[in-house]
Amino acid sequence: MFDENLQNFLDRNNASSDGIKRLQHLGVETLEQAWNKASDEDMIWAVARPGVMSAEQKRLFLVMVLSSIEDKLTDPRSLCILTKLRTNKPITKEDRAAAAADAAAEAASAAYAAAAAEAADAADAASWAAASRATAAAEAAARAEEADATAREAQAKWVRENLKLRDLNTK
């Protein structure tokens, strides 16, 4: 069914039975086939696994994801996080704490509060877990606005246009 590389990737990352079924339905056998045929949702899941993207790839992906909700980042301290991500400047603990507090104070919805707070935490490029939560939180915000499919499509399109399978750590 799956070759050794794909099976190892799926096992190591605790792929869901639904995700595995979707790949089987597509007739996927290799990582390369999965890269080319996977749904937008599955593509984002795969690249968001810890250690798959480099720190620079994660930073660029976060810039794209957070830029999609930039209009909701109304406080200057929250916008500071995105600016620092864009310019690759260090983000301090104070930056993260201030942005998280601002998000909680200004958020009109729980989804936005989570997205902004997690985005602030995710700014620490050394913490992939936080970046992964930020992506999930940004997607939650998109769902709250009934734009999840569009957001995921844009994210997957960015991944396919800006990342190459050979440049990711899939082993």
Side-chain angles (χ1 to χ4, degrees), residues 55-66:
E56 178 64 5
Q57 290 166 329
K58 288 183 276 192
R59 183 186 70 78
L60 294 171
F61 182 68
L62 281 172
V63 167
M64 187 279 305
V65 170
L66 296 175

Side-chain angles (χ1 to χ4, degrees), residues 33-83:
Q33 290 172 346
W35 179 262
N36 292 322
K37 294 181 178 182
S39 68
D40 295 340
E41 178 181 353
D42 291 335
M43 172 63 74
I44 298 307
W45 175 86
V47 299
R49 299 305 89 209
V52 172
M53 285 192 275
S54 69
E56 178 64 5
Q57 290 166 329
K58 288 183 276 192
R59 183 186 70 78
L60 294 171
F61 182 68
L62 281 172
V63 167
M64 187 279 305
V65 170
L66 296 175
S67 293
S68 71
I69 60 166
E70 184 173 7
D71 62 324
K72 294 178 182 27
L73 302 175
T74 58
D75 188 279
R77 292 170 287 191
S78 295
L79 291 167
C80 174
I81 296 292
L82 181 55
T83 299

Side-chain angles (χ1 to χ4, degrees), residues 8-25:
N8 287 341
F9 182 84
L10 296 171
D11 291 344
R12 186 176 58 255
N13 291 290
N14 299 313
S16 71
S17 58
D18 288 342
I20 291 170
K21 287 177 186 175
R22 285 190 296 272
L23 291 175
Q24 290 171 333
H25 180 72

